[in-house]
Amino acid sequence: MLRRAARRQQGEDNLEAVLEQWGEPMTLFTKPTCTVVFYTNLRRGAKFQLFCVSISSPPCAKKKAAAEWRGLKESLVPLLQLTAFHMFKASRGILCRALAASPAPKAAESAAQSASQSAAEARLVPWKRLGDEAFQGGRFFMAANFYTRWLEEPEEEMKAAVLSNRSACLAKVGHFEASKEDAERALELRPNWGRAWSRIGLAHAKLGQAKEAVEAYKKAVTFDPSSGNVDALASVTRQLYGPDSNLAHAEKESGNLAMRGHEMGLAVACYTVGLMLVPVEAIASVPDGVPPEDEHALLRSVLFSNRASAFCRLKDWQSARADAEAAVEKKNDFVKARNRLGTALLAGGQVEQAYAHFAHALKLESNNTAALKGRQACISILPLWRSVPARRRFRERFGVDLWRPKGTTKVYAISDVHFDHKCNEDWAHRIDDFQFQEDVLIVAGNLCDTRNALARALTTLKAKFRRVFYVPGNHELWLNPSEAAKYPDSLSKLLGLMELCDQLGVDCSPSAVCEDVFVVPLLSWYTAEFDEKDPFPDPNANFDHQCRWPLDPDTQVWKYMLKLNEAHLQHPYHGTVITFSHFLPSRSLPFAAFGRAAKAMGCEDLNDQVKSFRLRHHVHVYGHSSRHFAQYEDGILYVNHYHGTEGGHAERSPLFLVHDGKDVAKRQVEIYSGPTRS
């Protein structure tokens, strides 16, 4: 009053106006919460139009909240200056000319630091974003309210999505009729949208309308064959129908027809319904403990296999793999199921497992075209070592000890332990439990004949040493009758043994063991060319007749083994490299040369790979020849510390010290002189 009186005395102009509330108050979910009200004098017909925004925050009424109130004003007032006319629906129609000419979304976008969003989206995002956040936080009523505010002036491009979101909110709070109505409105805008169909399916299911729910979910799977829609369709189908093998066959044929018409989503839907119609397996207890045979196993396997094929064409490899595994489980002699599982595994980077299933399919049907192509694809890809297990093996193992100081690690070697002989198993258990805990052991093949024995042997040795490196010999690749069901051929067993090594923490690929010391396993096989006197294969020799190879054992297996080594030779090695193989890399090394033994002894081409390192300090450990040997040739130390089937009884020096932690163990070589070639 005093200021007004002073202005009157000074003759200043004074403008008085009464402002009224314009629109409804708006609550902003700031921290602390505040309420914003828009005021104007438009209704009074004033000559001068005035606008005002009032901010109130009850939590800031206390004196101790003064800092929060100050921070709220500093952050909110600039934003309201730019966006107030656009935030209040009632005020959008009274924009002054200056504001109407320069739309506020870009200013709001800048104030909210959302430069990547389009101008139209920026105007609408506050409501949709708040709705999304409220939904994720489980505040479904609030989320539905936010979506409703967005829908007051929606853009057609996003309207279907917001309707679908509000439908989900309404379903969460039990308003299924309203949820269905919103989903139907969304479908009017996007008729082929699987998510909207799934909302309708859920609403029908909750309202007890099972038949309508099945039809809606079939549409959802047709347009969006995701795992959630497939599981929902399976659930409502099980509730609506009882077991009926005839209807299951009919759905299978409908799925096949859809596959031929390249309608993969519809095919998935039909196969899913068919699976739910197959009578459930009988579960009964019988005296001998053998479960009864499932008379519908083939139908169940076919439906899983066909759905896996549809998922493969949709490039949903994870779902395809799950279905193919179920198909094989129901009927493990079903060739198509094996092929589809192999395809899904191969596409998912599991080349080793894929090979095994293609090989199983060929064991069941030797001329199956799909299996032949799949197996050949795996054989071609394997030498690259780019599968998921191979990449993980290299990533986790190659450099783990790269910076381990020199002198902290000794490297020992042994071969042909034959752990499956009791005396040798006892010998392995007698190795000191503490002496070698910081050291490395190289096992150059012929450790065991079977996988189970190999698992016991590697577990025993791994407990004695910090790291164990291993390559299979010829004995490990024999196919024992007890392993025929697990391994269709020797290559699949080789890959299975590598998988076992990964599980046990045993190394079968190159790795540093300490600073400047690397151990490099080299796979190998023998060739008749190793026999200088008669370099031709002997069809009557019958070496390793327990092995089964997908390649010619006389002319191709040894070449393929060398091919598997090529990628490992490309790594940046330095310092000391210790390579090892099971078979002999050179004819100059001692072995029993009588009879035809030389034809199954080694491979000269392997020595080219050994010599390719060209490093000053290089050791190569080998086995198989049953001859103890340690000698330098061409600057490379060749070592064979053969243990033998009766080695456990001999109690000889059990391990050969290859590297003493700082250098190659030359004194050990001088003490241990091998015999001349016999």
Side-chain angles (χ1 to χ4, degrees):
M1 292 175 62
L2 293 173
R3 284 196 297 270
R4 283 199 297 268
R7 282 196 296 270
R8 290 194 194 97
Q9 292 177 0
Q10 295 173 4
E12 294 181 359
D13 293 334
N14 183 31
L15 177 62
E16 294 184 358
V18 177
L19 302 180
E20 296 180 349
Q21 181 176 319
W22 190 267
E24 296 297 322
M26 179 184 298
T27 300
L28 300 182
F29 296 94
T30 55
K31 188 174 181 179
T33 306
C34 68
T35 301
V36 181
V37 184
F38 192 88
Y39 291 92
T40 183
N41 62 348
L42 287 180
R43 287 196 182 95
R44 295 182 172 267
K47 181 178 180 181
F48 299 98
Q49 296 179 3
L50 299 177
F51 308 97
C52 173
V53 175
S54 169
I55 309 172
S56 61
S57 177
C60 293
K62 300 177 182 179
K63 289 184 179 181
K64 62 181 181 180
E68 293 184 9
W69 172 245
R70 188 164 50 252
L72 180 65
K73 288 194 298 181
E74 290 174 356
S75 61
L76 190 58
V77 169
L79 183 63
L80 289 174
Q81 289 175 342
L82 296 170
T83 62
F85 279 93
H86 293 268
M87 289 181 65
F88 294 89
K89 180 181 178 182
S91 67
R92 292 173 195 163
I94 58 172
L95 286 176
C96 59
R97 187 175 301 172
L99 289 175
S102 56
K106 288 188 178 180
E109 184 178 6
S110 174
Q113 298 181 354
S114 303
S116 62
Q117 297 177 348
S118 66
E121 186 181 6
R123 175 168 63 87
L124 301 172
V125 153
W127 298 121
K128 185 177 183 301
R129 183 181 301 163
L130 287 171
D132 295 343
E133 292 175 356
F135 186 87
Q136 292 169 6
R139 302 183 298 275
F140 303 118
F141 277 113
M142 186 178 292
N145 181 57
F146 287 138
Y147 291 136
T148 301
R149 295 295 294 269
W150 188 97
L151 288 167
E152 290 176 354
E153 291 187 12
E155 291 202 2
E156 292 300 318
E157 184 179 353
M158 298 177 64
K159 185 175 181 180
V162 176
L163 283 168
S164 174
N165 290 358
R166 191 171 70 173
S167 172
C169 295
L170 294 169
K172 289 288 186 181
V173 297
H175 295 309
F176 299 111
E177 282 288 356
S179 173
K180 182 164 68 73
E181 290 175 5
D182 271 358
E184 289 171 345
R185 289 176 61 192
L187 277 179
E188 292 175 2
L189 299 171
R190 294 177 60 180
N192 296 339
W193 193 21
R195 184 179 299 176
W197 279 110
S198 69
R199 307 275 195 233
I200 292 177
L202 175 63
H204 280 303
K206 294 298 183 179
L207 292 170
Q209 301 163 350
K211 185 175 182 180
E212 291 81 356
V214 169
E215 293 303 319
Y217 273 123
K218 284 189 75 172
K219 289 283 189 180
V221 173
T222 299
F223 298 122
D224 178 17
S226 62
S227 58
N229 288 342
V230 171
D231 292 343
L233 174 60
S235 177
V236 295
T237 301
R238 191 182 294 110
Q239 295 173 14
L240 177 62
Y241 299 104
D244 190 328
S245 58
N246 292 328
L247 283 178
H249 278 286
E251 289 291 341
K252 177 178 75 71
E253 293 303 322
S254 299
N256 294 345
L257 183 63
M259 289 278 284
R260 289 192 289 271
H262 304 286
E263 298 177 280
M264 300 306 150
L266 179 58
V268 170
C270 293
Y271 294 138
T272 301
V273 173
L275 280 167
M276 295 302 104
L277 294 172
V278 178
V280 180
E281 300 176 45
I283 301 176
S285 59
V286 289
D288 56 2
V290 178
E293 184 178 354
D294 179 13
E295 60 178 321
H296 302 288
L298 179 58
L299 175 59
R300 206 184 311 275
S301 180
V302 168
L303 286 166
F304 272 122
S305 175
N306 289 2
R307 193 170 71 172
S309 178
F311 279 128
C312 282
R313 298 192 191 185
L314 291 166
K315 294 183 170 44
D316 184 353
W317 308 116
Q318 186 174 355
S319 299
R321 176 179 176 176
D323 275 358
E325 286 175 342
V328 171
E329 181 185 355
K330 302 302 177 187
K331 194 77 174 171
N332 62 9
D333 59 350
F334 186 30
V335 174
K336 286 186 177 181
R338 292 281 186 181
N339 285 338
R340 282 154 187 172
L341 180 52
T343 301
L345 289 166
L346 183 59
Q350 302 289 346
V351 185
E352 294 87 345
Q353 294 182 40
Y355 174 85
H357 287 287
F358 287 127
H360 271 294
L362 287 170
K363 189 176 180 181
L364 295 167
E365 187 179 321
S366 60
N367 60 348
N368 185 274
T369 304
L372 285 168
K373 289 182 178 179
R375 187 182 70 174
Q376 187 57 45
C378 294
I379 290 174
S380 301
I381 294 172
L382 277 170
L384 301 176
W385 297 114
R386 293 178 182 172
S387 65
V388 172
R391 287 176 181 270
R392 182 174 59 247
R393 187 183 305 138
F394 178 79
R395 182 177 64 251
E396 295 178 356
R397 309 291 294 179
F398 183 81
V400 66
D401 289 330
L402 194 58
W403 307 113
R404 189 180 180 89
K406 270 189 174 182
T408 60
T409 297
K410 295 179 181 179
V411 181
Y412 294 87
I414 196 168
S415 71
D416 302 272
V417 175
H418 297 286
F419 184 88
D420 34 15
H421 289 249
K422 188 177 186 309
C423 62
N424 292 328
E425 182 172 356
D426 293 340
W427 163 82
H429 285 290
R430 287 197 300 272
I431 297 175
D432 193 276
D433 290 332
F434 304 101
Q435 181 180 352
F436 306 104
Q437 284 300 312
E438 294 299 314
D439 300 329
V440 172
L441 176 65
I442 291 173
V443 183
N446 279 8
L447 184 55
C448 296
D449 292 358
T450 64
R451 182 189 185 280
N452 290 339
L454 181 65
R456 296 200 318 274
L458 291 175
T459 301
T460 301
L461 295 174
K462 186 69 173 62
K464 311 288 185 178
F465 292 83
R466 180 171 61 83
R467 294 184 74 169
V468 174
F469 285 79
Y470 164 77
V471 290
N474 54 316
H475 278 240
E476 284 93 342
L477 301 180
W478 291 351
L479 296 178
N480 189 284
S482 64
E483 299 177 317
K486 185 174 183 63
Y487 300 117
D489 61 30
S490 294
L491 181 54
S492 66
K493 186 175 182 181
L494 170 63
L495 300 174
L497 297 184
M498 289 185 172
E499 182 182 8
L500 173 65
C501 288
D502 291 340
Q503 295 171 2
L504 298 177
V506 172
D507 292 278
C508 56
S509 63
S511 177
V513 295
C514 67
E515 185 181 356
D516 292 335
V517 180
F518 295 84
V519 177
V520 182
L522 297 176
L523 296 171
S524 59
W525 199 251
Y526 51 80
T527 170
E529 296 175 2
F530 200 76
D531 185 358
E532 290 180 297
K533 299 177 182 178
D534 180 18
F536 301 101
D538 185 349
N540 300 317
N542 204 24
F543 297 118
D544 297 305
H545 63 277
Q546 300 96 324
C547 293
R548 297 286 184 274
W549 294 102
L551 305 168
D552 187 336
D554 294 322
T555 62
Q556 297 297 322
V557 173
W558 65 272
K559 292 181 181 179
Y560 189 69
M561 291 294 186
L562 297 181
K563 191 75 175 175
L564 290 172
N565 294 333
E566 289 181 359
H568 297 328
L569 304 178
Q570 308 304 318
H571 300 310
Y573 303 107
H574 57 274
T576 300
V577 169
I578 305 171
T579 56
F580 70 103
S581 63
H582 177 67
F583 293 100
L584 280 65
S586 173
R587 298 187 187 97
S588 64
L589 303 174
F591 61 91
F594 58 86
R596 295 171 293 187
K599 296 184 183 297
M601 192 57 57
C603 174
E604 276 283 330
D605 288 39
L606 176 62
N607 211 27
D608 294 337
Q609 292 188 337
V610 173
K611 292 180 177 180
S612 67
F613 290 90
R614 293 186 176 87
L615 294 171
R616 181 179 176 185
H617 302 289
H618 187 177
V619 183
H620 183 78
V621 179
Y622 65 96
H624 193 64
S625 66
S626 305
R627 295 290 187 273
H628 295 94
F629 184 74
Q631 186 171 311
Y632 279 95
E633 292 186 10
D634 298 329
I636 301 173
L637 174 61
Y638 291 89
V639 173
N640 182 356
H641 190 70
Y642 170 80
H643 190 73
T645 56
E646 299 299 320
H649 289 310
E651 292 298 341
R652 65 170 65 92
S653 175
L655 304 167
F656 187 94
L657 180 61
V658 176
H659 195 279
D660 63 8
K662 296 182 179 179
D663 200 353
V664 175
K666 296 180 180 179
R667 179 156 180 79
Q668 178 83 349
V669 177
E670 293 171 0
I671 295 173
Y672 181 32
S673 58
T676 58
R677 179 178 175 183
S678 60

